[in-house]
Amino acid sequence: MHTIIEFDTDRLRLRQWCMADREPFALLNANRKDMEYFPSLLDRAASDALSDYCQSLIQEKGWGFWAVEIRENQEFIGFVGLNSPSYTLPFSPCIEIGWRLAYQHWGKGYATEAAKGALQVGFEKLDLPDIVSFTAVMNHRSRAVMERLKMRKDASTFEHPKVPVGNKLREHYLYRLSQEQWLTHTKA
Ligand SMILES: CC(C)(COP(=O)(O)OP(=O)(O)OC[C@H]1O[C@@H](n2cnc3c(N)ncnc32)[C@H](O)[C@@H]1OP(=O)(O)O)[C@@H](O)C(=O)NCCC(=O)NCCS
């Protein structure tokens, strides 16, 4: 077990999950707008299982998909963080950065702000050489976050192995950022 990493950005706190997160997280995972680019919505049991899984990985490694709350009022708004995918991808092994925020909190810059904090932890604390991110080709909002983070898109797409063949969400873009690129951007 490692020391648990938790941190603040200007407006947000990225922290370990707690029981009070379960209800707002279940609402998010049952919302069609939030889950538009996922093959299915999550019911309460599946949502609780996902929050337990995120919590157990942070407990075990010290980092992961952190619960995100607004510092001003402690409202839980979703997750942002780093993850080692448990399944094989065409570019495995890898550490990904990912995000899922409640719809009512989109359009405020929260995902990008939290993700910059997570990249800083990944590159400057965990000393990761590379971080990737991937999303369905049609998920423009998620791609926009990757581009705001100055991640670089691979020329070709890939088929996500967890999305059924024939599903329109199967084709994904892959973005990458190296530690060297991160350090260059942040010092510039
Ligand atoms: C992907 C997702 C996290 C993006 O959230 P987002 O709020 O669009 O992204 P950001 O946090 O970068 O916010 C950027 C927007 O906030 C605006 N903004 C407002 N105030 C801001 C501020 N103080 N600072 C920065 N941006 C601000 C920007 O202008 C931009 O607006 P635009 O969308 O009209 O261009 C969100 O859509 C989501 O959770 N989707 C569902 C889950 C999902 O698809 N996850 C990805 C799976 S791979």
Side-chain angles (χ1 to χ4, degrees):
M1 200 178 88
H2 294 80
T3 307
I4 291 177
I5 300 171
E6 297 179 312
F7 58 95
D8 289 349
T9 64
D10 284 351
R11 297 175 293 174
L12 305 169
R13 177 151 185 78
L14 281 78
R15 56 155 176 79
Q16 176 59 298
W17 294 71
C18 63
M19 286 299 282
D21 300 332
R22 286 181 165 217
E23 193 170 334
F25 192 48
L27 287 175
L28 184 168
N29 286 319
N31 182 310
R32 287 193 189 284
K33 185 81 190 159
D34 263 298
M35 298 299 280
E36 187 176 353
Y37 300 109
F38 295 88
S40 54
L41 301 178
L42 300 186
D43 63 16
R44 179 66 195 248
S47 177
D48 286 354
L50 179 56
S51 62
D52 287 351
Y53 182 64
C54 293
Q55 186 180 43
S56 68
L57 287 180
I58 292 175
Q59 191 66 34
E60 189 186 306
K61 298 182 178 189
W63 53 272
F65 280 148
W66 287 281
V68 179
E69 68 177 35
I70 299 173
R71 287 171 60 184
E72 198 176 41
N73 59 10
Q74 286 86 52
E75 182 181 356
F76 168 89
I77 61 169
F79 71 74
V80 174
L82 306 169
N83 177 52
S84 172
S86 58
Y87 49 91
T88 304
L89 286 152
F91 39 88
S92 292
C94 64
I95 304 291
E96 64 163 324
I97 183 162
W99 33 72
R100 190 181 300 176
L101 298 185
Y103 172 60
Q104 60 271 28
H105 297 289
W106 296 5
K108 297 174 183 171
Y110 286 156
T112 299
E113 179 175 321
K116 281 183 182 162
L119 288 176
Q120 183 168 20
V121 169
F123 289 129
E124 298 181 25
K125 216 172 187 142
L126 305 175
D127 203 23
L128 300 173
D130 293 286
I131 295 175
V132 302
S133 196
F134 44 89
T135 192
V137 163
M138 50 186 61
N139 192 343
H140 298 288
R141 277 195 169 262
S142 192
R143 287 178 52 198
V145 177
M146 296 168 198
E147 282 169 16
R148 281 183 206 108
L149 296 172
K150 300 194 168 64
M151 301 187 84
R152 295 187 185 171
K153 182 161 72 69
D154 266 21
S156 50
T157 58
F158 73 96
E159 308 265 297
H160 196 297
K162 301 285 263 189
V163 182
V165 175
N167 187 306
K168 63 181 183 192
L169 300 175
R170 192 166 152 95
E171 187 181 15
H172 272 56
Y173 278 126
L174 172 67
Y175 284 73
R176 307 174 192 258
L177 190 66
S178 69
Q179 186 185 42
E180 195 184 335
Q181 287 161 346
W182 166 262
L183 293 173
T184 308
H185 295 326
T186 50
K187 279 179 193 153

